Structures are given as structure tokens and as C-alpha cells.
Amino acid sequence: MATPYERERTESRHADPLTGLLPVLRSLVRWARRPLQPAVRLWRRNIQLRVVATTLLMSLGVVLLLGIVVIGQVKNGLLDAKRQTAQSQAVGGFAVAKENARNVTGTGGTGEGTDGRSQTDTATWLNNLVEGLASSGQGVYSVVALSSDAQQPYGLRADSPGTHAPRGSGGVRPEESVPADLRKALDEQSDVFERYTSMKSDSVPDGEPALIVGQRLSDPNGKPFQLYYLFPFDQEDKTLGLVKGTLATAGIFVVVLLGAIAWLVVRQVVTPVRMAARISERLAAGHLQERMKVTGEDDIARLGESFNKMAHTLQVKIQQLEDLSRMQRRFVSDVSHELRTPLTTVRMAADVIHEAREDFDPATARSAELLQNQLDRFESMLSDLLEISRFDAGAAALEAEPIDLRDVVRRVVDGAEPIAERKGSRIVVHGDEQPVTVEADARRVERILRNLVVNAVEHGEGHDVHVRMASVGGAVAVAVRDHGVGLKPGEATRVFNRFWRADPARARTTGGTGLGLSIALEDARLHGGWLQAWGEPGGGSQFRLTLPRTGADTLRGSPIALEPEDSRRNRELASTLSHRGMPPGATALDAATPRPSGHHGFPAPRFAAPAIPSMPFTPPRPPAADPAALPGNGARVVGHRAGAGTVTHPTTADEAREDDD
């Protein structure tokens, strides 16, 4: 029977069929964006490319706008000049036609009409008129004569009585070249009209743009006809094309020139900046002698001089700090070594007094015990100071060999049992059913775990302490969980600081020196591993040690979650999700942050009850920590020594965030 949670998911899936398509669409978008990522990355990182590209685009826009304005002005100017010239020539031609008609009428005709007056051969006269008017305009204009009779129906045949046959010069097709509205306007009025038309001829049957100017006139017999002048725009088109070509060539040249100028100008500014960035990286890498090359006296030169002064000042300060740190480390090392001789003498005397304490009075015997305890603590602190000085000097040696963490954990638990009995706590070990092998320094790993277990017992407030072991892929982990006072927000990052105490008023009943966790962190870094802490006020804390299985492995995740499943937040979230029908064994972390299979090379988290000893792998949440307290990048600093089976790790300042967030 399906749970309410499963029914809700099934109903939601059936109610919204597009839900299943969303992952496919996201994959398609990522696939489409993948080829563009290098170009986008280059655009974001290269300021010179952005400036040059922006300059080219803006220059291209300005050139296009300027070209449109100039071409428009030239076109309007050519049209105005063409119109004025055409009107002047057409009006002159119309005057010549009128004068010619009057002269022919005055000299007499070639025949006699019904009214007794002489008649002129209209066809011959029109042919002569058109040829005479067009003779002076070869290639400039053409002349067309059409019939016009406002008193007869418009559109009669050319051979009808009272009409004139169409005539045109230069092969022009009169009836196809003259617009019908213009003919109608000339039939109604005798003014001069003009239109833009498409002039069709035998050489250009599709037509070419032209300006037509026409007027209604009368022939020698008094019959009206229409005379047109057609002025083609072929010369103007050639002129306009020449202007466009010139503007395009000049525009391309200007855009390229502006791009080159922008590239040169930006290069003068970007080159010193890039040089400063490279030198800054080398300064950060420890090459403090690097300086910028300064030439000239401009702002860039002053910037270079200021940068060089800053670098020199930093070099001097860093050298002073290094000298001071070296003196402090040497002082600590020398003092620690020098104190061993008097400490040995005092230890011998204290042992004699301590063995004879039964013969003393109670006050003196108690003083002998206190002396013995404080000498033990002082000797432990002296050993820790010597170890810290080795880490600071970069002389720590790692004697790595294959070990089984179960043996190390057993030794640590056996050594901490007396303290746990006095505190009323138990130490419970989980995950020791199978071998947990790792290539590590057994002494250093045991020291790390001893610090974690003893601190958990001391701060556990009498509750049980759980030690969990797990291994997945190339990583092994050990987590120590207590249910004591816990850690306040922000203390998980400071707990690894030297001599730091969560509660300064709290007595160290086990004789701690305040350096244990600092040494443990350095030991973890020496292995290329991680040591991290989690805690909540009143909810206890958990410390997790993650180590690479071999020296060739790189940590990408941890087999154990940093935040335990029984934390207060996970319990509240699990209680909330339980009302939605989640499976009984589901953890709040699994329900809240599901991850696909194979995340970071590890299997996906499984639903598991908190009572199961071996916790499933769940990639941990990244701790909000100070980088100084974070682990290294999971890589060992140097390799094995040849033939020695020992690894030496100088301390490194390179801290990387954990990759399993």
C-alpha cells in the first residue's frame, strides 16, 4: 500500500505532465550554452576586447547614421535639381510647340476643311514636333505625344476621329510610360503637371524611374493633344551609387581605423595593469623581489612607482615579520630544549619525593602529588611546544605505512577508558566490522584521535562518546561524537587555534595544554587530509578526520557527514517530514538535500535509521569556517623519500575549501 507521500508525488506527476520535461529542457539549454562558454569567458576576462568591440559597434552605428543622413541629403538635392531642370526644359519645349502651332496656322494648311478653312496634316506635324523637341535631348529626356479630347469619351482608339496616334522618341512606349491619372488631369486642366513614373522603352521593358512633365496643347488645327517630357534618373542613380560606394568605403576605413586606435590606446593602459597583475601573483607566490618596469612620467608611470613602493614596503615588512617569527620559533625551540635539562633534574627529585610521600604528613604528601601532576603537565606542554616548533620550522617528518585504523582506534579507546570511567561515560565504536586500511603515520593518527576522544570525554558531560569509522573510494574517515556542552556559533573555526579555550573558567581536569587540536590539525594537513569540527550549543559536537587512502589519492569528499544525523536541526526536519509520509528510516538530511548517484565519485546517500551504527555516506555541508581553520586541498605536500619510507611535509599556507559541498 502506497504511503501518503508516494500518493502525493504520483498525483503531482500525473497532474503536471510538463514536470518530466524540465530536466530535459535544462540539459538542452546547458548543451546549447556549452560552445558559447569559452567566448563568454574571454569576453568577461579581457577588458581590451570589450573596449575595442564596443568602439567598433559604436563607430559602426555612427557611420551608418551619418551615411543615412548624407545619402538622404544627396538624394533630395539630386531630386530638387532634377525637378528644376526638368521643369525649365519642359516649359521651354511647351512654348516651342505652341509657337510652332501658331506659325503653321498662320502660313496656311495643306487642305480645306468643311468649314472652308485650311487644314494641316496633324500626323506629319506631330512627328516633326516630337523629333524636333527630342533632337536636343538625346540621353537626357524623351518626348511623348498623346491624344487628348475632353469632349469625347476617354480611351478611344488611336485611329478614331478626333484623336492623335501616340508618338514617342527614343523607343519609349507612350501609353505604358504615362500614368493614367496624369492623362486624366491634363484632360481636365491645361496647367503643367509632373509625376514620378516608371518609363518603359524597347531597351528597358521593365521600366526605369523617371520624372514626367506634361501639358495639354493644341495642334495647328485646334485639336487638343498632350505633350510629355520624360526625364530618366539614370544619371542621378549613378551619382547616388557613387556616393553610396564612397561613403561605404570611407565608413569601413573609419571603423577599422577607430578600432585600431582604440586597440592601441587601450593597450597602453591595459598592458601596465596586466603587468601589475602578473607581478602581484608572483608577489603572492613569494617572489618579493619582483617590480614593475616604469617608463615616462604619466599617470601609468606614477601608478607603477606607487606599486613598486608598495611592493618594497611589503617586502621589508614581510622580511621583518619572517625574522621575528624565525626568532620566536628559535626562541621556543631553544627554550624547550634548554628546559629539558632542569626538567629532568626536577623530575628525578620529584620522583624521589613522590615515592616517599607516605612518610610525610598529609599536607606534605598532598604537595608531593601536586608537584608530580604539574610536572607531568609541564612535560606534556614542553613536548607540544617542541612539536609545534617542528611544524613551524617545516621539519615535520611523516613516516607513512599501511595501517588498519581499527587497531589505532582500539589503542586510543583503551587509553581513554580510565578517563571515561571517572566521567561516567562509555566509548562506543561503530564501523569496525571490516578493515579500514590507510597509508598514514600511525603515531600521528593516534595522537589526533587521542586528542579528539579525550576532549569528547572531558566535555561530554557524562554522556556516551561515539567513534565512527568508514571508507569509500579513495577516502577514509573517523568521526568522534559527543553529547556535551557543544560549540557556539563560530567556535568551530576557532577550536583549532593555539591555546584557545571555549570556556576559560573551565578547569582542565585532564591536564590539557591548549595545543592538542592545533597539533592534530597540522598532523591532518601533513597527511593531505581534513580535520573539521561541528557543534551546537547544548547538542554536543562532532570532529571528523578524513584522510586519503593512499598518497596518490586526492580527497573529493568524506564518507561521513560532518553534521551528525541526530543534530537538533535534523531531528526537527525529520519530525516535520514525518507528517508528509516519508519512509520511517529516512533521515532529514537525505530528504532535504537529495543528491544523484555518483556525486563526487561516491554513491548516493541511502535512507538509514539513526540507530544503525555504520552511517551511510552523505556528502557533508560546507562549514562556515575561517580559512585559517579549514583543511588543505587534500594533496600531500611532497612525495616519499627515496628508500626511506618517510614523507616530509613543510607547512603550507595554501588553504582550499572543501570540494564536497
Side-chain angles (χ1 to χ4, degrees), residues 363-415:
T364 306
R366 178 57 180 166
S367 299
E369 294 178 355
L370 293 176
L371 177 62
Q372 187 74 11
N373 294 335
Q374 294 302 317
L375 281 175
D376 293 339
R377 183 180 177 186
F378 183 66
E379 190 172 8
S380 176
M381 182 180 296
L382 191 60
S383 300
D384 291 343
L385 287 174
L386 286 173
E387 191 67 26
I388 286 291
S389 64
R390 293 191 189 96
F391 283 118
D392 292 339
L398 187 67
E399 299 177 356
E401 59 182 1
I403 61 174
D404 190 347
L405 282 181
R406 297 183 302 173
D407 299 334
V408 179
V409 170
R410 290 192 189 101
R411 291 196 297 269
V412 171
V413 171
D414 292 341

Side-chain angles (χ1 to χ4, degrees), residues 96-176:
V96 171
K98 292 179 182 179
E99 184 67 23
N100 193 347
R102 286 196 297 267
N103 293 335
V104 171
T105 302
T107 59
T110 59
E112 186 175 337
T114 57
D115 55 358
R117 293 183 300 177
S118 60
Q119 298 291 323
T120 302
D121 187 359
T122 305
T124 303
W125 181 82
L126 280 177
N127 289 334
N128 294 333
L129 177 65
V130 170
E131 291 177 359
L133 294 177
S135 61
S136 60
Q138 297 292 335
V140 178
Y141 58 86
S142 299
V143 180
V144 171
L146 296 176
S147 64
S148 176
D149 191 354
Q151 298 178 356
Q152 293 186 5
Y154 182 77
L156 293 176
R157 295 174 45 151
D159 54 356
S160 301
T163 63
H164 299 90
R167 291 169 176 82
S169 65
V172 177
R173 300 175 182 178
E175 293 182 341
E176 297 179 7

